[in-house]
Amino acid sequence: MKKKGDDPLAGHVSGQSNKPLSRPLHSLTFNDVVKELESDEINGLHTAVAKQRLDEFGPNDLGEADGVSPVKIIIAQIANAMTLVLIMAMAGGVITFVILLNVIVGFFREYSAEKTMDSLRSLSSPTASVVRDGKSSVIPSGDIVPGDLIELKTGDIIPADARYA
């Protein structure tokens, strides 16, 4: 059984770094990024440092999903607080129509979003070429950590939230 302290991502806010930098990554110079991420622009990260960061930050992936469940989406749309209030206040056909329209539109929007996420998961790059300990190696893209030096060739899918220098 996992304890609360066992989860390395406990308290992580999506879209924010677990270890904030002095400024957002896109506004730092290449040399500042290398310095703040304690990387090396020639040799990349040491394998031990990369493993420690993988343990600290977790894998670089979109996470597992059960897939799209239309029934769950419909239940979530009906259980929406606004929809429940309207159902309780339902007095005539117009309100019923508005509720049904709200549920149907919400269902198709969420269904489309779930399908898009499934497509993005299938497009993700399964491996990446990184420089660690001064040598190029191919690793699973989920093992990329902040500060890794990623090698890209023409036509490659960028395997992470990378910054071009």
Side-chain angles (χ1 to χ4, degrees), residues 106-141:
F107 167 78
F108 282 109
R109 285 180 50 214
E110 192 165 338
Y111 185 77
S112 175
E114 291 290 336
K115 292 298 257 184
T116 301
M117 284 302 292
D118 284 347
S119 295
L120 286 173
R121 283 185 192 94
S122 70
L123 287 176
S124 66
S125 177
T127 60
S129 180
V130 298
V131 177
R132 289 188 179 163
D133 299 321
K135 295 180 280 190
S136 180
S137 60
V138 177
I139 63 169
S141 61

Side-chain angles (χ1 to χ4, degrees), residues 54 57-62 125-128 132 139-145 159-160:
L54 182 61
F57 298 121
N60 180 41
D61 60 19
L62 294 174
S125 177
T127 60
R132 289 188 179 163
I139 63 169
S141 61
D143 291 348
I144 294 173
V145 295

Side-chain angles (χ1 to χ4, degrees), residues 16-84:
Q16 295 183 7
S17 174
N18 291 337
K19 183 178 175 187
L21 301 175
S22 63
R23 294 191 324 242
L25 255 174
H26 69 274
S27 65
L28 293 171
T29 65
F30 173 75
N31 291 330
D32 289 340
V33 170
V34 170
K35 181 180 174 187
E36 289 197 35
L37 291 177
E38 298 169 357
S39 189
D40 183 315
E41 67 268 15
I42 303 299
N43 297 315
L45 291 176
H46 291 287
T47 304
V49 173
K51 174 157 181 14
Q52 182 266 330
R53 289 185 185 182
L54 182 61
D55 291 340
E56 179 182 351
F57 298 121
N60 180 41
D61 60 19
L62 294 174
E64 294 296 320
D66 296 336
V68 180
S69 172
V71 173
K72 285 184 182 177
I73 294 173
I74 292 234
I75 289 171
Q77 290 297 318
I78 292 173
N80 180 325
M82 181 186 76
T83 304
L84 291 174

